[in-house]
Amino acid sequence: MSQEEPHPPVALDAAITALQGRVGDRVRAARKMHGMSRRLLSEASGVSPRYLAQIEGGEGNISIALLLRVAEALGVSMEALVANADLTPEARRVAEAFAAADRPTQEQVKGLLSGTTSKAGRICLIGLRGAGKSTLGAAVAKALTVPFVELNRVIETAGGMPIGEIMGLYGPEGYRQLEADALDQIAAEQHRAIIAVAGGIVDEAHTFDRLLDRFHTIWVKAAPEEHMARVRAQGDTRPMEGNSEAMVQLRLILQSREADYSRADAVIDTSGASVDASLSELLALIETNRYLPKEIR
């Protein structure tokens, strides 16, 4: 006559029930946080909707293999689903508010927690002189009803003199320091704005890295011939005056900076395009990439 296995203690039964309920609550909360229906989670994990309903309801035995599939589809760890430690009441309220928020708000919150919202609604146009940064920057800012800031004007205000005099008095190093300070000032004061910077900002690696970290950057580019023609059209003949190799030098500058300009978040080519056409393209680019979400305008 075989001896029967002893029944589990009552405390163990209660612990298993609590585990099943805890896992169910956390799977459901994670699914809602991602805005997923059970059907979508089923397709992503390969676990049937019926089994998902059982998990979320704290019913039946939980398969470790299937739960791992669910966790991976939700982008969470198994530990996060089964750990005994639970959310504090405050953390639970935050989680519930997050789950109830719309997708743009959730994206902003996730960005804030990960540090990526340091860019906020700041958009910076980079590129060589003559690409159309100032013209397009002012037009886009007007269309979006946000400030337009030219970094060199901020530098001139801080230095108390025109850029040429700053360069003559303090040299390139002094100018670059004022440039870095001006960029920090804009990042601190402007939550949403269109910024245009000098083409040579990429020459100071640390400053350019900070720009890329704090601004949505768009490289406004053009063919070398158009760069030169636009500068001359503005009444500045210095690029060509007494310099037969000006175009060659311009091409070399573009070539040397191309790798840095290419680090921008996006690019718009104004070659052969009218201002209106380029403006429409730039507005569409900003809207598509949500660089200035409606929720923060």
Side-chain angles (χ1 to χ4, degrees):
M1 185 174 180
S2 61
Q3 187 175 0
E4 292 184 358
E5 293 284 336
H7 292 291
V10 175
L12 182 56
D13 284 340
I16 293 173
T17 300
L19 172 62
Q20 292 172 327
R22 184 165 63 248
V23 170
D25 289 344
R26 290 175 179 173
V27 168
R28 182 171 54 255
R31 177 174 61 79
K32 290 184 176 180
M33 183 183 72
H34 288 283
M36 301 175 70
S37 65
R38 278 200 194 121
R39 175 65 61 183
L40 287 176
L41 179 55
S42 173
E43 293 175 356
S45 64
V47 177
S48 71
R50 181 178 178 182
Y51 188 79
L52 290 174
Q54 291 179 340
I55 291 178
E56 292 187 4
E59 303 170 356
N61 295 322
I62 301 174
S63 164
I64 294 178
L66 294 183
L67 187 60
L68 178 59
R69 290 185 183 181
V70 173
E72 290 181 347
L74 291 171
V76 299
S77 65
M78 282 277 286
E79 291 80 2
L81 295 179
V82 303
N84 191 40
D86 209 347
L87 295 175
T88 65
E90 181 179 4
R92 187 178 295 278
R93 286 194 296 271
V94 171
E96 291 173 351
F98 182 89
D102 57 26
R103 181 56 61 85
T105 300
Q106 290 182 350
E107 291 302 319
Q108 290 182 42
V109 170
K110 286 191 288 185
L112 178 62
L113 293 175
S114 64
T116 58
T117 53
S118 56
K119 296 184 179 183
R122 294 183 292 271
I123 301 168
C124 183
L125 306 183
I126 67 172
L128 204 60
R129 185 182 178 191
K133 294 174 297 183
S134 296
T135 300
L136 288 176
V140 139
K142 181 178 180 180
L144 297 176
T145 320
V146 297
F148 173 59
V149 182
E150 290 194 85
L151 189 65
N152 272 350
R153 303 293 81 80
V154 179
I155 294 172
E156 289 178 335
T157 299
M161 63 187 75
I163 294 297
E165 294 182 20
I166 290 175
M167 291 290 289
L169 183 61
Y170 299 109
E173 291 185 1
Y175 169 80
R176 292 302 178 201
Q177 183 57 57
L178 287 172
E179 183 179 56
D181 293 343
L183 197 66
D184 288 341
Q185 177 185 337
I186 293 172
E189 296 179 353
Q190 300 288 351
H191 181 69
R192 51 182 185 176
I194 308 295
I195 317 296
V197 299
I201 198 168
V202 298
D203 294 335
E204 180 53 53
H206 184 59
T207 300
F208 189 50
D209 285 342
R210 285 152 69 184
L211 186 152
L212 293 172
D213 183 58
R214 300 177 185 182
F215 297 80
H216 300 286
T217 47
I218 301 173
W219 176 17
V220 182
K221 64 184 298 187
E225 295 78 9
E226 294 206 35
H227 277 289
M228 188 69 74
R230 290 170 184 173
V231 171
R232 296 185 69 189
Q234 295 168 5
D236 188 349
T237 60
R238 288 174 299 171
M240 295 293 291
E241 187 176 0
N243 186 359
S244 60
E245 300 297 320
M247 184 58 70
V248 174
Q249 292 178 6
L250 176 59
R251 292 181 186 278
L252 289 174
I253 291 173
L254 280 171
Q255 183 178 358
S256 67
R257 292 177 178 172
E258 185 173 4
D260 289 317
Y261 287 153
S262 296
R263 295 175 63 195
D265 298 309
V267 59
I268 175 174
D269 194 336
T270 63
S271 300
S274 66
V275 173
D276 287 342
S278 294
L279 175 60
S280 296
E281 183 180 352
L282 184 53
L283 286 169
L285 187 153
I286 291 171
E287 183 68 23
T288 299
N289 291 284
R290 297 186 63 81
Y291 292 154
L292 194 68
K294 294 178 180 179
E295 288 75 17
I296 63 172
R297 285 184 193 167

